[in-house]
Amino acid sequence: MSPVPLTRRSVLAAGAAALALPRTALAAPTVLRAGPVTAQILPDGDGKTAMLGLNGTTPGPELRVRQGERLDVRFENRIGSDSALHWHGIRIDNAMDGVPGMTQNAVPDGADFDYSFVAPDAGTFWYHSHSRSWEQVEQGLYGPLIVEEKEPPQVDHDVTVMIDDWRLEEDGTLMGGFGNRHDFAHAGRLGNYARALPSVRQVRRGDRVRLRLINGATARVFPVALSGATGKIVALDGMPLQAPRDIGQLMLAPAQRIDLIVDVAQTLRFDFPTRDEPYELGRIEVMGENPSPIAQDITALPAANVKTPTAPYRDLSLTMQGGAMGGRHAGEDIWALNGHSGLPDTPLATFQRGETARIRLINETAFPHGMHLHGHHFHEMNGEVPGDLRDTTLLHRGETRDILCVFDNPGKWLLHCHMLGHQAAGMKTWVEVL
Ligand code: C2O
Ligand code: CU
């Protein structure tokens, strides 16, 4: 599960509870200034880490907008090299998608770029650099983007939990070698220290809490065991489930999100299960008692306004190839999709607006991949039945899955592995919607 062992460094060290996701009050238009930051990634008292961040912190500030409203963000790049911001999971105007070389020019150091878009879906999203992403996301250039329902479900706390891992020296220094080919050919750059960082440190017993889990790691698939509360999963990748689902063990590929609504019984713990004892990623302490707990059942969030797919479907297939212990392929880099490494000159497919396609994703490799489509959400198919809507789907080694998508958002859209070293080493393609 974790070839690079996670270091058991207690997150319970004195003062560790002071770690909380920044929640900055934002002026409109919002400015996100990217630049070097010093972060306390290890527990307080341990060494600090030189990272990149936004408005002085990593993760960057949590952006919040109401469903259907416009978000205006001035991105000020001060990191010392090119960058751009991608709004992961937002069914966005193509020109605002933040992909250098495809939807915009890279933003040079010292320059600004104005992003402006409407957020059509309520849910949990995030933003991250899409420029040398395997390096810049690893260095901390990302943050949560929350789109609030017009009538949010009744909860006592709405908590974002950013999950990530880092490869750190003993003193907290972020190790270099972001472009390491050995990492790229295997599971990607896995960290040796991991953390789940909640935006709220403390709740009361009996509180109803919405938890928005976001995996911001560049490579690691996080299994998460939640304890201390009971409740339901209500959304995946910012898309409400038709019916709330029992929690069990949670699994998040890089870039995936899970929304839960839970009732707190005791200290909320987020654990990474391992063969021996669990590795604690983070916790929310419990203080006091809620005198009047919310008693209603946890019900489904209002359904997203995503077009229903209609047969006949156009059938396509996408085979993931390469990597260590993988077979040969015709591509020129470590990884390939359908025998091609890197962005092809011509798209995988060109769709008429509104066309529905069923894409068979075939993982012929010895590693898991989290495949992400820009600008759309798709259904994971259960046989012939369209299941959950997602923007990133996890395929374990040897696994095949059909996804079903109504391609109704015009533009050029990336389809790539969100193990960011994999996409850097060939695992990416694109589609065009006319
Ligand atoms: Cu979250 Cu192409 O990325
Ligand atoms: Cu991959």
Side-chain angles (χ1 to χ4, degrees):
M1 188 45 76
S2 49
V4 174
L6 291 169
T7 315
R8 267 171 211 293
R9 210 149 181 168
S10 177
V11 291
L12 302 179
L19 293 172
L21 198 57
R23 200 165 248 188
T24 321
L26 297 159
T30 303
V31 170
L32 284 182
R33 176 182 279 236
V37 301
T38 303
Q40 187 67 58
I41 290 170
L42 293 174
D44 270 1
D46 284 351
K48 296 189 194 310
T49 308
M51 302 281 290
L52 295 177
L54 295 128
N55 297 0
T57 62
T58 179
E62 177 172 300
L63 304 183
R64 279 194 171 249
V65 65
R66 267 293 161 97
Q67 181 177 17
E69 284 182 0
R70 179 167 290 275
L71 187 62
D72 290 296
V73 177
R74 169 155 297 178
F75 173 56
E76 301 180 347
N77 179 13
R78 305 293 183 269
I79 67 167
S81 57
D82 286 358
S83 194
L85 284 186
H86 169 58
W87 312 91
H88 184 114
I90 302 287
R91 298 189 295 142
I92 202 168
D93 280 348
N94 193 242
M96 294 292 126
D97 198 38
V99 181
M102 179 165 271
T103 65
Q104 67 171 94
N105 294 322
V107 184
D109 179 47
D112 303 341
F113 188 92
D114 288 331
Y115 291 98
S116 176
F117 57 89
V118 169
D121 304 307
T124 302
F125 301 92
W126 66 304
Y127 58 90
H128 62 79
S129 164
H130 216 296
S131 176
R132 296 181 65 84
S133 58
W134 65 94
E135 184 171 316
Q136 293 185 7
V137 174
E138 190 63 34
Q139 289 176 304
L141 271 192
Y142 65 74
L145 169 56
I146 305 304
V147 184
E148 297 171 349
E149 289 83 9
K150 288 175 182 143
E151 286 170 37
Q154 199 196 340
V155 293
D156 298 298
H157 297 275
D158 184 342
V159 183
T160 305
V161 184
M162 283 288 334
I163 303 169
D164 199 354
D165 67 346
W166 299 265
R167 195 178 287 182
L168 301 174
E169 310 275 8
E170 195 48 36
D171 68 356
T173 306
L174 186 66
M175 289 187 204
F178 301 105
N180 183 305
R181 305 282 291 172
H182 182 270
D183 287 338
F184 284 4
H186 292 77
R189 180 183 164 109
L190 299 173
N192 55 9
Y193 179 73
R195 198 180 65 187
L197 184 61
S199 58
V200 163
R201 281 177 267 163
Q202 186 179 302
V203 296
R204 297 168 301 180
R205 190 181 327 276
D207 275 349
R208 180 161 287 184
V209 179
R210 179 174 186 162
L211 296 170
R212 303 169 180 271
L213 274 47
I214 305 173
N215 182 357
T218 51
R220 186 182 289 276
V221 178
F222 274 96
V224 178
L226 174 72
S227 57
T230 52
K232 298 281 184 187
I233 301 175
V234 293
L236 299 172
D237 293 354
M239 286 286 145
L241 295 180
Q242 277 177 12
R245 194 171 294 165
D246 289 343
I247 297 176
Q249 184 175 297
L250 305 164
M251 182 79 78
L252 296 101
Q256 286 187 326
R257 290 89 65 210
I258 301 179
D259 280 41
L260 307 140
I261 295 180
V262 299
D263 294 323
V264 176
Q266 51 190 311
T267 305
L268 265 168
R269 265 185 64 158
F270 306 93
D271 288 322
F272 185 109
T274 69
R275 223 159 280 168
D276 33 315
E277 63 195 297
Y279 179 100
E280 182 175 334
L281 294 166
R283 60 167 62 192
I284 301 174
E285 301 289 351
V286 170
M287 286 279 274
E289 182 106 21
N290 182 338
S292 50
I294 299 171
Q296 289 136 255
D297 287 346
I298 297 164
T299 53
L301 300 172
N305 184 21
V306 174
K307 284 213 188 72
T308 311
T310 45
Y313 309 141
R314 173 157 163 207
D315 279 303
L316 297 163
S317 74
L318 193 66
T319 304
M320 286 154 253
Q321 301 158 315
M325 299 166 283
R328 301 181 67 82
H329 59 78
E332 283 167 355
D333 208 337
I334 296 170
W335 301 96
L337 294 171
N338 291 357
H340 192 282
S341 298
L343 267 197
D345 294 336
T346 53
L348 172 75
T350 300
F351 301 106
Q352 298 301 321
R353 195 181 310 181
E355 196 176 342
T356 300
R358 177 168 51 189
I359 308 177
R360 175 153 297 176
L361 302 173
I362 304 160
N363 183 0
E364 280 188 352
T365 79
F367 292 91
H369 304 286
M371 296 301 292
H372 170 49
L373 172 66
H374 284 218
H376 298 78
H377 277 73
F378 52 78
H379 293 273
E380 290 181 334
M381 294 294 277
N382 301 316
E384 290 296 308
V385 183
D388 299 335
L389 278 164
R390 303 211 72 140
D391 59 47
T392 306
T393 185
L394 175 62
L395 288 107
H396 293 288
R397 58 184 295 175
E399 198 176 1
T400 292
R401 174 173 308 114
D402 289 352
I403 60 170
L404 190 68
C405 184
V406 182
F407 286 92
D408 60 353
N409 195 359
K412 296 177 176 179
W413 303 107
L414 284 181
L415 170 56
H416 66 87
C417 180
H418 222 287
M419 277 70 169
L420 296 173
H422 291 175
Q423 66 89 32
M427 199 173 268
K428 58 177 159 193
T429 188
W430 60 292
V431 298
E432 183 160 27
V433 181
L434 301 176

